[in-house]
């Protein structure tokens, strides 16, 4: 009687793995744009870290001296220049994110799929309203400590 | 088969991506209008409403909660993309890479949460 052994024999085959260079994405514009999209999150993360610095300053106590230092840091030119580049990066993220959203999540209404353009218009509407509310609140001086 | 933890991280990634797409652009744009506060002066909404708004965002109880959500959403989204992006840069990812990426996102979120809790309960 043969016994079925559970242990597999070590494979003798030597698969050919085509070498991939780390700069593969520079050869085609489509790939380059993909990498730009992927790296745009680094700027969002950088901005999150700037905000984190502000939160840490605010948490040091009821004294606002550290918070004022943080505001002066945010008002400095190097930070502003980085943030302007970051704004373009994040807007590119927004554009690509809204483009892929109808593909990632199909919206069904009464058993019928909504067209992708409807989802996109709704998302741009949400972006517009959120921005408008934030600008209105920040510019009128309603938000203050 | 062992269950993958991917769906959990993917849903945080999705929520964070939406937040970065909708809320972060206006925040960065507004931050450009932050002005320096002269020596010896306090944050004054009448002089610069944007400065006051950013101070509110990090200092007030409700503001710091939104700030915590923003930071946490950004870093989870970003580090999930960095983790998967490493493959594109021909780095063969393993559990250690995952631990570093998600661990870093967790630590940053935790710091923001503690700072938020301090502002909410002080």
């Amino acid at each position: 009687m043969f016994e079925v052994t559970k242990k597999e024999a070590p494979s003798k085959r030597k698969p050919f793995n085509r070498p991939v260079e780390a700069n593969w994405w520079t050869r085609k514009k489509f790939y380059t744009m993909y990498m730009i999209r992927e790296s745009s999150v680094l700027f969002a993360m950088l901005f999150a870290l700037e905000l984190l610095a502000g939160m840490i300053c605010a948490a040091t106590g009821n004294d606002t001296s550290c918070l004022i230092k943080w505001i002066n840091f945010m008002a400095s030119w190097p930070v502003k220049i980085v943030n302007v580049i970051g704004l373009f990066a994040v807007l590119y993220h927004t554009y690509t994110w809204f483009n892929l959203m109808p593909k990632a999540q199909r919206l069904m209404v009464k058993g019928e799929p909504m067209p992708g353009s409807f989802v996109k218009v709704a998302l741009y509407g949400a972006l517009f309203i959120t921005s408008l509310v934030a600008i209105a609140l920040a510019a009128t001086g309603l938000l203050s400590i | 088969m062992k269950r993958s933890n991917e769906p959990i991280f993917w849903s945080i990634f999705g929520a964070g991506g939406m937040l970065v797409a909708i809320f972060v652009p206006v925040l960065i744009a507004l931050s450009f209008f932050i002005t320096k506060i002269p020596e010896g002066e306090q944050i004054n909404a009448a002089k610069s409403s944007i400065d006051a708004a950013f101070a509110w965002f990090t200092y007030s109880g409700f503001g710091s909660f939104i700030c915590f959500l923003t930071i946490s959403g950004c870093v989870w989204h970003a580090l999930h993309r960095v983790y998967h992006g490493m493959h594109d840069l021909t780095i063969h990812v393993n559990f250690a890479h995952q631990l570093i990426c998600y661990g870093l996102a967790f630590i940053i979120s935790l710091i923001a949460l503690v700072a938020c809790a301090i502002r909410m309960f002080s």
Side-chain angles (χ1 to χ4, degrees), chain A residues 36-90:
Chain A
I36 289 172
R37 185 194 81 188
E38 294 294 294
S39 52
S40 70
V41 295
L42 295 176
F43 285 97
M45 186 157 155
L46 209 59
F47 188 71
L49 292 178
E50 289 166 17
L51 285 180
L52 183 71
M55 277 197 95
I56 292 169
C57 265
T60 53
N62 291 324
D63 169 33
T64 52
S65 62
C66 188
L67 199 61
I68 290 172
K69 269 188 202 146
W70 175 70
I71 286 174
N72 287 341
F73 163 75
M74 292 296 280
S76 64
W77 281 108
V79 175
K80 283 194 178 180
I81 290 165
V82 170
N83 282 350
V84 167
I85 303 165
L87 179 62
F88 284 106
V90 171

Side-chain angles (χ1 to χ4, degrees), chain A residues 37 95-105 120, chain B residues 81:
Chain A
R37 185 194 81 188
Y95 167 73
T96 54
W97 189 260
F98 288 177
N99 268 356
L100 72 81
M101 217 14 83
K103 294 168 194 160
Q105 181 77 56
K120 268 198 237 176
Chain B
R81 260 197 173 165

Side-chain angles (χ1 to χ4, degrees), chain B residues 20-83:
Chain B
V20 173
I22 289 179
F23 191 45
V24 175
V26 68
L27 271 185
I28 300 186
L30 283 172
S31 82
F32 192 75
F33 298 98
I34 293 179
T35 51
K36 277 208 163 86
I37 296 169
E39 192 84 30
E41 277 187 38
Q42 278 299 312
I43 300 157
N44 189 344
K47 268 195 176 163
S48 170
S49 58
I50 305 288
D51 285 11
F54 272 91
W56 174 86
F57 196 49
T58 51
Y59 194 87
S60 72
F62 185 54
S64 68
F65 183 67
I66 307 171
C67 197
F68 152 68
L69 290 180
T70 311
I71 291 170
S72 151
C74 276
V75 291
W76 278 100
H77 176 80
L79 286 161
H80 180 94
R81 260 197 173 165
V82 167
Y83 168 65

